[in-house]
Amino acid sequence: MTDLLLTEPVTLYGSNISYFTGKMENYFRVRGVSYDLRSMQFPAFKKRMAKKVGVMQMPAVILPDGRWMTDTTRMIDWFEQRLPGPGLMPADPLQRFLCLLLEDWADEWWWRPAMHYRWHYAEGARFASWHLAEELLGGVPGPVGLKRLYLQQRQRAGYTTGDGMCADNVVAVEAGVARLLATLQSIFSARPFLFGDRPSLADIGFSGPFFRHLALDPVPLEIIRQQAPAVLEWVARLWNTRLSDCASVWDNGIPEDVFSLLDDIGSGYLPYLCANTEAVADNKRRFDVQLDGVHYRGARCSRYRVWCLQQLRLHFMSMPEAAQEQGRTLLERHGCWESLWRHACLPLLPGQEEELPFRAHNKMLAVHQ
Ligand SMILES: N[C@@H](CCC(=O)N[C@@H](CS)C(=O)NCC(=O)O)C(=O)O
């Protein structure tokens, strides 16, 4: 693929407290791509973006040649294939697959707890609703209090209480975050990035839940300060790292402490993807599921996440045979294998998401479906 020559900054439309905008900013900074962050102004931006790429979601990237892009996973993949120099993907096929798996997990699974901490606690909801009302809805006539109420209700109905969170599972969901923090605390006490001295796609993936949410919103930030200061250091380190200054390569093999992340993927995320697949196949809009002892009632169906599961399978199958064998043993040992392949046939729509990053068919979760 020809090297991409960017003589002007790309435009990044989003919000400076948004999960996926924050992920894309971390990517651009680490990769040395200059960008110009602009806030989306509603309602005009919504129509404009939907016309350009098919959906309205944050962020949108506009290339200097005027092309619009969406979906951080596919955008990053697009840039990685075109930007010069060693990038964020390890050469070792199994490390590479694990980076893709961790990125997907960070995008899709940690979204709900991150939204929970922001919108469940009054402190978080006060901060975020004020910020978003001013930043995104400043041009909409009406009192700011009403806008804040609207935003709070929309986000809860779409992503927390409307996506399987309830009074009964708050403690267990927060315990899952504490488990993640404990593992990451021990990883980042041992080395600067997930796979060694150099950031990889997995670090960029985890900047989604951490940079603009868990390490920003008041309640989880205090938990991280007290319980996982090495994670806070990693958040700032990633933000302040340029890949071009990193001489070193990733460590060889898979660091042992990454295995407990795989255990969690095997007991929570992959079974969730299976339950979502079944619900989409049955044309449901919501489903109940018990994962790792946590009961989610009325979780939202996601066509996009059926595609995510398919992508994980394709990434696995694209590895050379020896790496697949090694990968299978590893995934079996950590409870990830059976659920990765449980449903032979995935209910994808014809051509689903094939035009990404220039056109999307589905939002990650359609709030008003
Ligand atoms: N898969 C997409 C997900 C983007 C996404 O869901 N962004 C959120 C905000 S951080 C959003 O815009 N949601 C749409 C909405 O709330 O209507 C990506 O990687 O870019």
Side-chain angles (χ1 to χ4, degrees):
M1 199 115 1
T2 51
D3 281 0
L4 181 67
L5 215 88
L6 290 167
T7 48
E8 286 168 56
V10 300
T11 305
L12 177 65
Y13 272 106
S15 154
N16 68 352
I17 62 164
S18 133
Y19 195 103
F20 289 96
T21 311
K23 177 187 170 193
M24 206 62 203
E25 285 192 83
N26 271 275
Y27 173 71
F28 283 148
R29 284 176 64 94
V30 167
R31 251 331 207 137
V33 173
S34 49
Y35 66 93
D36 179 11
L37 177 64
R38 295 194 200 159
S39 292
M40 295 176 164
Q41 292 302 315
F42 288 87
F45 194 88
K46 185 174 176 180
K47 267 196 191 150
R48 194 167 155 219
M49 180 167 178
K51 201 165 147 209
K52 295 284 185 186
V53 297
V55 299
M56 161 55 224
Q57 63 184 5
M58 285 178 192
V61 167
I62 308 179
L63 293 169
D65 66 12
R67 281 181 293 170
W68 282 59
M69 305 169 95
T70 186
D71 193 82
T72 57
T73 300
R74 268 290 187 255
M75 288 193 281
I76 291 172
D77 178 54
W78 188 91
F79 280 102
E80 280 302 284
Q81 287 186 37
R82 287 163 181 80
L83 290 173
L88 286 159
M89 300 302 283
D92 175 80
L94 192 53
Q95 275 191 350
R96 197 185 177 90
F97 171 73
L98 291 178
C99 276
L100 290 157
L101 177 61
L102 290 173
E103 184 212 14
D104 186 55
W105 186 47
D107 282 357
E108 311 302 329
W109 183 248
W110 293 104
W111 169 258
R112 187 191 287 109
M115 293 302 269
H116 157 74
Y117 272 115
R118 174 165 291 177
W119 295 104
H120 177 74
Y121 293 100
E123 263 176 288
R126 255 200 309 268
F127 150 70
S129 66
W130 176 271
H131 185 103
L132 294 173
E134 293 282 307
E135 185 189 7
L136 308 177
L137 304 182
V140 177
V144 70
L146 216 59
K147 295 179 196 173
R148 293 177 70 186
L149 203 65
Y150 160 75
L151 285 164
Q152 192 169 299
Q153 281 174 358
R154 177 193 192 271
Q155 299 304 77
R156 286 182 182 158
Y159 301 125
T160 63
T161 49
D163 187 30
M165 289 298 306
C166 56
D168 293 352
N169 62 17
V170 165
V171 170
V173 168
E174 294 187 357
V177 175
R179 215 165 45 238
L180 174 70
L181 290 178
T183 307
L184 293 180
Q185 170 70 14
S186 101
I187 291 178
F188 296 131
S189 302
R191 56 184 182 278
F193 299 106
L194 281 161
F195 284 91
D197 289 338
R198 180 186 172 86
S200 69
L201 179 71
D203 295 278
I204 299 297
F206 270 96
S207 71
F210 280 96
F211 187 62
R212 297 297 195 185
H213 274 259
L214 299 174
L216 174 72
D217 292 336
V219 172
L221 172 58
E222 187 54 20
I223 296 172
I224 295 174
R225 273 198 203 108
Q226 300 302 333
Q227 293 170 22
V231 176
L232 206 53
E233 268 188 309
W234 160 82
V235 170
R237 185 161 52 242
L238 184 67
W239 183 246
N240 198 30
T241 293
R242 301 292 166 272
L243 215 48
S244 53
D245 300 333
C246 300
S248 41
V249 291
W250 292 283
D251 295 345
N252 278 336
I254 311 302
E256 292 240 336
D257 47 17
V258 166
F259 294 158
S260 65
L261 299 177
L262 292 184
D263 290 333
D264 267 10
I265 293 177
S267 58
Y269 182 51
L270 289 170
Y272 159 80
L273 283 184
C274 289
N276 178 64
T277 297
E278 287 156 26
V280 170
D282 291 345
N283 273 317
K284 289 188 182 159
R285 294 166 77 161
R286 286 164 191 280
F287 61 101
D288 294 347
V289 64
Q290 183 148 359
L291 302 160
D292 224 359
V294 188
H295 209 141
Y296 298 89
R297 289 187 195 82
R300 224 164 254 280
C301 289
S302 166
R303 281 205 173 271
Y304 177 82
R305 289 178 181 157
V306 177
W307 176 80
C308 291
L309 178 57
Q310 182 215 33
Q311 293 301 299
L312 291 177
R313 292 177 178 186
L314 293 175
H315 294 316
F316 185 89
M317 288 186 304
S318 72
M319 290 196 292
E321 233 168 77
Q324 285 196 32
E325 258 177 54
Q326 207 192 337
R328 178 178 179 153
T329 308
L330 184 69
L331 295 181
E332 277 177 343
R333 205 179 316 134
H334 296 283
C336 295
W337 182 253
E338 184 276 331
S339 42
L340 180 62
W341 304 100
R342 188 179 305 164
H343 297 290
C345 187
L346 296 179
L348 291 158
L349 298 173
Q352 188 184 324
E353 317 312 339
E354 276 176 9
E355 290 169 81
L356 284 176
F358 295 104
R359 201 155 188 87
H361 292 114
N362 294 279
K363 286 167 67 150
M364 177 177 78
L365 285 170
V367 172
H368 300 297
Q369 60 188 1

